[in-house]
């Protein structure tokens, strides 16, 4: 059975022209960028407005501004163009002999070891696929997923993300990293409440990161307001924050000695599980991504719903 084209769907070429005009703030700069005459560009935009059935631009001399309809098309049209580019690249990759490459970005809050644990079953299931994993700060991670240069983004937390598809990929068990000479480092188990007199290392201020909010709230549930320090060293193993900030650092690495014995990682008496959120372009399909997201969680049992 043939699939009918959606009624009133915009022409992708004209949509790209419209996005270029909106980004440039006028026809002159956009025409130069697109190597078109202003007349041809203006004609294409008028045809797009006719297709959509709405005015998209308010023209004032050489400057243009977006109407309400134009702002909607600009925001959502960029997603459509990025998805179309992804479809084209996937199609070309399917026709080419070299193996497919799956690109994954992860925030510094997730260690490369945690990422590999999550990916290992999928890597075994797709022997002809190459996997590239890179650490990116959150803003670059989101940009990479938006523009399609990353097939999957991974970060701590379950924060809402506009114009991206998301899912919880799993949960990791948290432990605490301390300087090895810290009084609590010699214990087999500690409670979060035991950290009330110890500064807590964060990687971003509370309110700007779900992960920071998660850690602060864990301390509050334990009965104290944490004295936090935002780590001045980013991109290194999270255990290093115990040294650089002289603080307790929540980590997902194994219990025991770390960083040549300078740090000791101690298990928590009560399990503290932090989620891993996966992000990807909406309206796209990937068997590799489905395998990653549909496997059992590896880091622990999800907390009960509240």
């Amino acid at each position: 059975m043939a699939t009918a084209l959606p009624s009133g769907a915009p022409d992708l070429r004209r949509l790209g022209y419209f996005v270029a005009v909106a980004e440039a703030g006028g026809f002159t700069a956009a025409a130069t960028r697109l190597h078109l005459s202003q007349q041809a560009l203006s004609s294409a935009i008028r045809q797009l407005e006719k297709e959509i059935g709405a005015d998209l631009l308010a023209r004032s001399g050489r400057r243009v501004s977006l109407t309400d309809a134009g702002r909607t098309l600009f925001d959502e049209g960029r997603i459509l163009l990025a998805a179309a580019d992804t479809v084209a690249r996937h199609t070309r990759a399917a026709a080419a002999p070299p193996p497919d490459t799956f690109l994954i970005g992860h925030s510094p809050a997730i260690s490369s070891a945690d990422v590999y644990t999550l990916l290992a079953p999928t890597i075994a299931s797709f022997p002809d696929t190459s996997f590239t994993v890179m650490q990116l700060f959150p803003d670059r991670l989101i940009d990479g997923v938006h523009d399609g240069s990353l097939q999957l983004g991974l970060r701590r937390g379950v924060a809402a993300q506009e114009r991206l598809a998301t899912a919880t990929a799993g949960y990791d068990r948290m432990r605490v990293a301390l300087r090895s000479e810290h009084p609590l480092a010699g214990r087999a188990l500690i409670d979060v409440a035991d950290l009330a007199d110890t500064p807590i290392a964060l990687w971003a201020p509370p309110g700007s990161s779900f992960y920071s909010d998660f850690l602060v709230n864990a301390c509050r549930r334990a009965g104290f307001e944490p004295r936090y320090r935002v780590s001045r060293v980013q991109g290194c193993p999270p255990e290093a924050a115990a040294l650089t900030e002289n603080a307790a650092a929540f980590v997902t690495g194994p219990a025991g000695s770390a960083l040549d014995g300078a740090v000791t990682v101690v298990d928590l008496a009560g399990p503290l599980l932090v989620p891993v959120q996966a992000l990807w372009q909406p309206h796209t399909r990937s068997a590799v991504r489905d395998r990653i997201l549909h496997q059992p969680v590896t880091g622990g049992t999800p907390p009960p719903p509240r």
Side-chain angles (χ1 to χ4, degrees), residues 15 19 70-82 163 283:
L15 178 59
V19 169
R71 278 189 289 271
T72 298
L73 185 62
F74 179 66
D75 289 340
E76 300 189 13
R78 286 184 297 175
I79 300 173
L80 180 59
L81 290 171
R163 305 186 185 93
H283 320 304

Side-chain angles (χ1 to χ4, degrees), residues 9 21 28 33 48 51 54 64 91 93 107 133 176 198 201 203 214 235 243 260 280 296 299:
V21 172
T28 302
R33 169 183 161 188
L48 178 64
E51 289 176 351
V64 298
T91 303
S107 69
V133 177
V176 177
T198 301
W203 284 265
F214 175 88
L243 299 176
D260 294 326
W280 65 95

Side-chain angles (χ1 to χ4, degrees), residues 139-172:
D139 55 344
R140 293 186 59 198
L141 178 71
I142 299 301
D143 288 344
V145 177
H146 269 300
D147 66 27
S149 58
L150 295 175
Q151 277 77 46
L152 188 67
L154 299 172
R155 69 178 185 185
R156 291 289 182 206
V158 291
Q161 180 62 50
E162 291 187 5
R163 305 186 185 93
L164 288 179
T166 66
T168 299
Y171 293 83
D172 290 314

Side-chain angles (χ1 to χ4, degrees), residues 24-253:
F27 284 89
T28 302
T32 300
R33 169 183 161 188
L34 295 169
H35 305 290
L36 290 173
S37 70
Q38 291 188 49
Q39 181 180 1
L41 181 57
S42 180
S43 176
I45 298 302
R46 284 196 299 270
Q47 185 61 37
L48 178 64
E49 289 177 320
K50 183 178 179 180
E51 289 176 351
I52 297 294
D55 290 334
L56 303 173
L57 299 171
R59 297 161 175 83
S60 177
R62 294 187 176 183
R63 299 294 298 176
V64 298
S65 59
L66 295 174
T67 64
D68 289 343
R71 278 189 289 271
T72 298
L73 185 62
F74 179 66
D75 289 340
E76 300 189 13
R78 286 184 297 175
I79 300 173
L80 180 59
L81 290 171
D85 180 68
T86 299
V87 169
R89 286 190 286 106
H90 285 181
T91 303
R92 286 192 292 269
D100 192 17
T101 299
F102 195 81
L103 298 175
I104 302 154
H106 66 96
S107 69
I110 305 176
S111 72
S112 55
D114 289 336
V115 175
Y116 179 76
T117 299
L118 178 66
L119 298 181
T122 304
I123 292 172
S125 298
F126 289 84
D128 296 327
T129 298
S130 297
F131 292 81
T132 299
V133 177
M134 60 190 75
Q135 184 185 95
L136 298 168
F137 288 113
D139 55 344
R140 293 186 59 198
L141 178 71
I142 299 301
D143 288 344
V145 177
H146 269 300
D147 66 27
S149 58
L150 295 175
Q151 277 77 46
L152 188 67
L154 299 172
R155 69 178 185 185
R156 291 289 182 206
V158 291
Q161 180 62 50
E162 291 187 5
R163 305 186 185 93
L164 288 179
T166 66
T168 299
Y171 293 83
D172 290 314
R173 187 178 298 275
M174 309 249 31
R175 299 177 179 86
V176 177
L178 301 157
R179 283 181 176 269
S180 292
E181 62 268 24
H182 193 284
L184 296 175
R187 295 192 187 180
L189 294 171
I190 61 175
D191 290 307
V192 174
D194 295 330
L195 302 173
D197 296 325
T198 301
I200 304 297
L202 302 178
W203 284 265
S208 64
S209 161
F210 173 92
Y211 189 38
S212 294
D213 293 344
F214 175 88
L215 297 178
V216 168
N217 286 328
C219 296
R220 288 171 177 167
R221 289 195 301 272
F224 68 96
E225 186 67 24
R227 294 182 292 119
Y228 69 86
R229 296 174 181 171
V230 176
S231 178
R232 57 195 172 86
V233 179
Q234 303 282 338
C236 291
E239 289 82 359
L243 299 176
T244 61
E245 308 311 318
N246 192 23
F250 286 92
V251 301
T252 57

